[in-house]
Amino acid sequence: MWVLAVGLLLAHDGYLWLVKGVVPDTDILALLPVEQRDPVLQQAFTHMVDAAQQRLIVLVGADDWEHARSAADAYNAVLAKHPALLQTGMQLSEQSQQDWLAPSQQMRLSLLTPAQQTALREQPSKYWSDTALQQLYSPFSGPKLGAWQDDPFGLFSGWVQARAQETPVRPRDGYLFVEDKGRPYIVLLMTLRQPAFSMSTQRAVLPLLEQAGAAARQAVPAVELVSAGVVLHAGAGSAQASREMSTIGIGSLLGIILLMWLTFRSLRPIGLIMLSISVGCLAAFSLCWLMFGQVHLLTLVFGASLIGVAQDYGIYFLCSRVAADRKLDSWQLLRRLMPGLILTLAAAVIGYIGLALTPFPGLRQMALFSVIGLLFAWLTVIFWFPSLLSASTLNSSSFAAWFGRTRRHWPLLKWNRATLLAVLLFGAFALTGIVRLKTNDDIRSLQTPPKALLADQIKLGKLLDAPTPVQFYLVRGASAEQVLQREETLKQKLEPLVASHIISGYQAMSNWTPSKQAQEANRGLVTKALLSADGPLKALATQLGEDDSWIQQMRERALGSAANASANGGHALTPDEFLKTAASEPSRHLWLGKVDSPQGSVYASIVALRGVNSYANLPILKQAGELLDGVQWVDKVSEISSVLGRYRQYMGWVLLGAYAAIYLLLFARYRFAAWRVLTPPAVASIATLALLGIIGQPLQLFHVLALMLILGLGVDYGIFLQEQSMQRDRFAWLTVGLSAASALLSFGLLALSGTPPLHAFGFTMLIGIAVVWLIAPCFSQDYPQEEKE
């Protein structure tokens, strides 16, 4: 029956991985309670990061324009051969640039900058007639868009220049470029055709970029290449993981194999333990997928820790099989071991079930994954190990005998002066460390990108002055018009922040398509200030020697273009119409449009910020959006960090609850000796926390996750030693030693990892398991008779 059950699990996992091609969920918001998740906010964040995730930007810099263009041509020539991997940016032409402005030019009377609005209200008629003459005669009056008669006062040209100030990037010779201290950098924009986090994408794209970079350097040896993109960071992370797997992973595996060989002189025990763990992992993934429809990546990371607990069941049976009388068959031995095996499983399950009682779906999924994995690994030991291991299969080695004898060198805990002194010293150490212990849930502390990538990212961000995708304003309203009006109110709050250099600017849909209310106000303002009968047109006609018919023609030309645009569409400057044009491409991520939510459909948009260089200014930016209807400040870094912080706090309370529940379980079997089982992991956890405080390492979620595993493993060690006292099992100490050494090799070596979460987890495991292993024998009631002799 168990063969059939495992076969079904294997078939389902094969279907999920090989046929369906499942990908673990990586959305941190999926770990939040449903009632706390905002679908509009979720879509806004996805809207901002999706394009950035697939975007790759390369700056090609040189001493002069010709060299920069030659290097860019060589770089592009390599990429052009692989259109299935990368979509390169389109070449710009004069016609395409004019097409961008055509929709806005038709409605030019409706488009004004805040400075132009102020000038129209305050400046006299002479100011505007002088401006028009300057536009007509001065060669330094700025770029002219179309005929002078279409824009005599330079309002539309000024509006276009204001839009151009949203980015330092400019077109030239079919390329986009940015300049820094006279040095030109050509901007190459590329879009990945495949997911950036796909290993196959990274293996294909990264060598291609190296090849393109080599071609650019061959064309211009002094070229400077600045690259940024999620795929580069993902590739660096994958490379680091591969290196660590090669060193830490293979090293720990070889260590465990050597340990098992020295103990049993056979590779069969390793195969059996790996079999039980594999069945547990397959079952956990398969059943969690059936229940949740998805498995989160963090669940897999946490679920991997069950390997350290699940191996204990197999090791306990193997060591007991070596120690047992050969006349005792494996099924009889199993019946003798069942109380201890049931207790170890129950203690572990209690700890994980505590997670299921929290309001976080992520923690509930982790709990279910771990419980299922442990249960199936345990059942594999129960159903298969007795059949696969006979009394003659395993033999005791000299190493096993020697290790068993080392148990006698540990002192037993007794109430005397030495014990009191040890308690006082440990209390002073624990108090000193825990008082100094701090917490840090900042998601940025969990990332260590390579210095070269980080330097490129910083330089590219400064040169392009690009908006940040993780801090922005989310604006909502009952209609598109209301959203645009609320954007305009927000922008009035942001203008002083731009003037004081807290931010360098902002991007909003209302910059390109003002609300209808604003458009009407702008047209009325222009008509009153510039097109009235006694306005600047009359003074301008006098200076140019024109008559009243010329004035009428100019007025009709201006008013007629607006009227025609309105008659031909009426909605030429609404966001939906604007998004259909080529000019909207850089701004499409700002408009969410109609979004469904539990409270009904709403319209939403994003106001993105440029030049957010100091995290100290974030409270000021948050304050700017407060008290404004429909405006919400979004700081994804802080939000994700708060999620991790709340997980850490919940896990802390769950850990304390698990200690209490496990004590009640142990009390049912060991009565007043139950404290001897639970004290070693508790002391080890306190010692680990104190050491973190003393060395100045802040407490994070991954430290607490490791403390949960220390509890599960430490309780197992205590149970094995306590059962030793009851069953007179001289090989219980060997069981503890093998389990602890395996755990240290499996998880403790992660302390060498360069990935901060893995380092935190591994360092905690290294200290905690070592302390449990060191002190657990001291809490035993007595030595086995064989060891005394």
Side-chain angles (χ1 to χ4, degrees):
M1 288 177 63
W2 196 241
V3 169
L4 177 61
V6 172
L8 291 174
L9 287 173
L10 188 60
H12 185 243
D13 276 282
Y15 166 75
L16 290 177
W17 289 102
L18 301 178
V19 179
K20 195 171 182 180
V22 300
V23 177
D25 188 8
T26 58
D27 181 10
I28 194 73
L29 294 179
L31 302 173
L32 282 171
V34 176
E35 61 271 13
Q36 294 184 17
R37 292 163 61 187
D38 185 339
V40 181
L41 177 57
Q42 241 181 314
Q43 184 167 330
F45 182 57
T46 303
H47 207 65
M48 285 289 283
V49 302
D50 274 357
Q53 182 172 298
Q54 295 301 108
R55 183 64 60 86
L56 179 64
I57 303 176
V58 177
L59 300 185
V60 181
D63 294 331
D64 56 56
W65 175 254
E66 293 302 324
H67 283 100
R69 190 171 63 175
S70 298
D73 289 340
Y75 198 101
N76 265 338
V78 175
L79 301 183
K81 300 175 183 178
H82 302 273
L85 286 177
L86 286 169
Q87 176 186 351
T88 56
M90 296 177 60
Q91 294 287 313
L92 297 176
S93 64
E94 291 295 330
Q95 184 60 42
S96 65
Q97 295 175 46
Q98 291 177 9
D99 292 343
W100 272 40
L101 297 175
S104 301
Q105 200 162 16
Q106 291 179 1
M107 299 292 290
R108 56 183 178 271
L109 289 189
S110 304
L111 304 175
L112 296 174
T113 67
Q116 289 173 339
Q117 291 171 344
T118 302
L120 286 169
R121 293 190 186 97
E122 298 177 356
Q123 295 295 343
S125 179
K126 185 177 185 305
Y127 167 86
W128 290 108
S129 60
D130 290 346
T131 299
L133 289 173
Q134 184 182 17
Q135 290 284 327
L136 179 61
Y137 294 122
S138 174
F140 306 106
S141 59
K144 296 178 175 60
L145 303 173
W148 175 82
Q149 291 84 350
D150 292 331
D151 187 31
F153 303 104
L155 294 178
F156 182 65
S157 297
W159 180 85
V160 171
Q161 289 182 48
R163 300 288 69 76
Q165 294 304 314
E166 294 184 8
T167 174
V169 178
R170 298 290 181 267
R172 181 177 177 182
D173 295 344
Y175 277 114
L176 293 173
F177 84 102
V178 65
E179 199 168 68
D180 180 43
K181 298 177 182 178
R183 184 178 178 85
Y185 290 85
I186 290 180
V187 183
L188 301 181
L189 301 176
M190 294 158 276
T191 303
L192 294 175
R193 299 281 194 179
Q194 305 295 329
F197 288 102
S198 167
M199 294 287 289
S200 59
T201 302
Q202 296 163 22
R203 284 194 291 265
V205 170
L206 297 183
L208 179 61
L209 296 177
E210 288 289 338
Q211 184 182 348
R217 293 185 185 93
Q218 186 175 0
V220 181
V223 69
E224 179 185 0
L225 298 176
V226 182
S227 306
V230 171
V231 69
L232 301 178
H233 291 269
S238 299
Q240 179 174 319
S242 298
R243 290 193 300 270
E244 292 178 355
M245 283 293 291
S246 300
T247 54
I248 299 174
I250 294 176
S252 64
L253 179 61
L254 292 176
I256 292 173
I257 291 175
L258 177 62
L259 198 61
M260 292 294 181
W261 173 258
L262 290 173
T263 304
F264 301 110
R265 298 293 179 179
S266 171
L267 294 179
R268 176 178 288 193
I270 287 201
L272 291 175
I273 291 174
M274 293 305 297
L275 175 64
S276 65
I277 292 173
S278 299
V279 170
C281 291
L282 289 174
F285 187 86
S286 179
L287 295 181
C288 276
W289 189 278
L290 289 174
M291 294 180 185
F292 294 98
Q294 184 66 278
V295 177
H296 200 277
L297 182 62
L298 196 56
T299 299
L300 295 180
V301 173
F302 179 69
S305 66
L306 67 86
I307 296 172
V309 180
Q311 70 178 358
D312 288 356
Y313 312 137
I315 290 176
Y316 186 39
F317 185 89
L318 291 170
C319 291
S320 299
R321 177 65 275 176
V322 171
D325 190 336
R326 292 183 179 273
K327 296 180 181 179
L328 190 70
D329 68 34
S330 293
W331 290 105
Q332 292 172 327
L333 174 64
L334 178 63
R335 284 192 289 272
R336 177 187 293 183
L337 299 178
M338 281 303 288
L341 284 171
I342 291 174
L343 206 55
T344 55
L345 176 66
V349 168
I350 284 177
Y352 288 119
I353 282 182
L355 297 179
L357 301 179
T358 65
F360 292 100
L363 289 182
R364 289 200 291 266
Q365 190 181 100
M366 292 178 201
L368 188 63
F369 188 97
S370 300
V371 168
I372 292 173
L374 291 178
L375 179 60
F376 273 70
W378 187 87
L379 289 174
T380 302
V381 172
I382 299 302
F383 290 150
W384 282 355
F385 275 39
S387 299
L388 298 175
L389 283 173
S390 62
S392 60
T393 302
L394 293 178
N395 294 311
S396 175
S397 66
S398 57
F399 173 80
W402 168 82
F403 189 87
R405 288 193 298 271
T406 62
R407 168 70 182 85
R408 71 182 67 181
H409 299 299
W410 263 258
L412 292 178
L413 185 66
K414 299 183 183 297
W415 294 112
N416 51 33
R417 290 183 178 180
T419 300
L420 180 61
L421 179 61
V423 170
L424 291 175
L425 289 175
F426 178 76
F429 166 76
L431 184 62
T432 302
I434 291 177
V435 166
R436 299 173 60 181
L437 185 64
K438 293 180 172 58
T439 60
N440 180 15
D441 302 305
D442 195 333
I443 186 67
R444 290 167 297 199
S445 66
L446 303 181
Q447 300 171 329
T448 53
K451 292 183 179 179
L453 277 182
L454 187 60
D456 275 10
Q457 187 83 40
I458 293 173
K459 182 167 186 175
L460 188 141
K462 289 181 177 178
L463 289 176
L464 298 185
D465 195 20
T468 169
V470 292
Q471 283 105 14
F472 54 87
Y473 295 99
L474 176 61
V475 184
R476 311 183 209 206
S479 63
E481 172 68 9
Q482 188 177 53
V483 170
L484 294 173
Q485 290 180 19
R486 289 176 172 178
E487 276 191 11
E488 289 159 355
T489 303
L490 172 62
K491 291 192 298 184
Q492 293 175 6
K493 296 278 190 178
L494 296 180
E495 282 297 330
L497 302 183
V498 176
S500 57
H501 304 292
I502 293 176
I503 56 175
S504 61
Y506 51 82
Q507 294 180 355
M509 182 57 66
S510 56
N511 287 352
W512 293 90
T513 62
S515 65
K516 292 180 181 178
Q517 175 180 305
Q519 291 180 42
E520 292 173 1
N522 287 341
R523 281 196 296 269
L525 189 58
V526 173
T527 302
K528 179 181 178 181
L530 303 181
L531 304 180
S532 59
D534 56 348
L537 277 179
K538 185 174 181 179
L540 188 58
T542 301
Q543 295 183 61
L544 294 176
E546 300 288 350
D547 55 17
D548 290 345
S549 62
W550 180 86
I551 298 175
Q552 186 63 26
Q553 289 175 5
M554 291 291 289
R555 185 180 297 115
E556 290 176 356
R557 188 164 187 165
L559 294 174
S561 64
N564 291 335
S566 180
N568 291 334
H571 302 285
L573 283 179
T574 62
D576 289 341
E577 291 297 324
F578 175 69
L579 291 174
K580 297 176 184 178
T581 67
S584 69
E585 198 278 333
S587 307
R588 287 172 186 165
H589 63 286
L590 300 175
W591 188 253
L592 299 178
K594 191 174 183 180
V595 181
D596 293 328
S597 70
Q599 291 75 32
S601 297
V602 298
Y603 287 80
S605 71
I606 291 167
V607 175
L609 302 176
R610 295 185 289 111
V612 183
N613 298 320
S614 173
Y615 291 107
N617 291 331
L618 294 182
I620 300 175
L621 296 173
K622 180 181 179 180
Q623 187 178 6
E626 290 178 347
L627 305 179
L628 297 180
D629 290 339
V631 176
Q632 178 183 359
W633 168 248
V634 178
D635 182 359
K636 294 307 297 182
V637 172
S638 297
E639 183 177 344
I640 294 174
S641 300
S642 69
V643 171
L644 294 178
R646 294 170 68 182
Y647 266 61
R648 175 183 53 76
Q649 293 172 3
Y650 265 99
M651 285 291 295
W653 287 111
V654 168
L655 184 61
L656 294 177
Y659 270 97
I662 291 173
Y663 179 80
L664 295 177
L665 176 70
L666 296 174
F667 186 82
R669 177 163 175 81
Y670 303 128
R671 297 300 174 184
F672 293 102
W675 68 274
R676 296 179 180 273
V677 177
L678 208 56
T679 302
V683 170
S685 296
I686 294 172
T688 303
L689 292 174
L691 183 61
L692 290 176
I694 288 174
I695 65 177
Q697 190 170 128
L699 185 67
Q700 298 173 345
L701 170 65
F702 293 93
H703 292 116
V704 183
L705 294 178
L707 293 179
M708 180 68 76
L709 185 55
I710 290 171
L711 169 61
L713 290 171
V715 166
D716 285 355
Y717 304 161
I719 290 173
F720 294 153
L721 293 174
Q722 197 64 25
E723 289 292 317
Q724 160 194 281
S725 301
M726 301 174 67
Q727 303 285 348
R728 295 298 177 185
D729 178 10
R730 65 189 177 91
F731 271 77
W733 176 235
L734 177 62
T735 303
V736 172
L738 284 179
S739 176
S742 298
L744 287 174
L745 287 171
S746 298
F747 300 111
L749 287 181
L750 291 178
L752 302 176
S753 172
T755 305
L758 295 182
H759 171 77
F761 188 88
F763 182 78
T764 307
M765 288 296 298
L766 181 66
I767 303 302
I769 294 300
V771 172
V772 172
W773 190 7
L774 183 66
I775 67 174
C778 302
F779 289 84
S780 297
Q781 289 179 291
D782 198 1
Y783 296 112
Q785 187 65 29
E786 291 84 348
E787 289 185 6
K788 288 182 178 180
E789 295 171 356

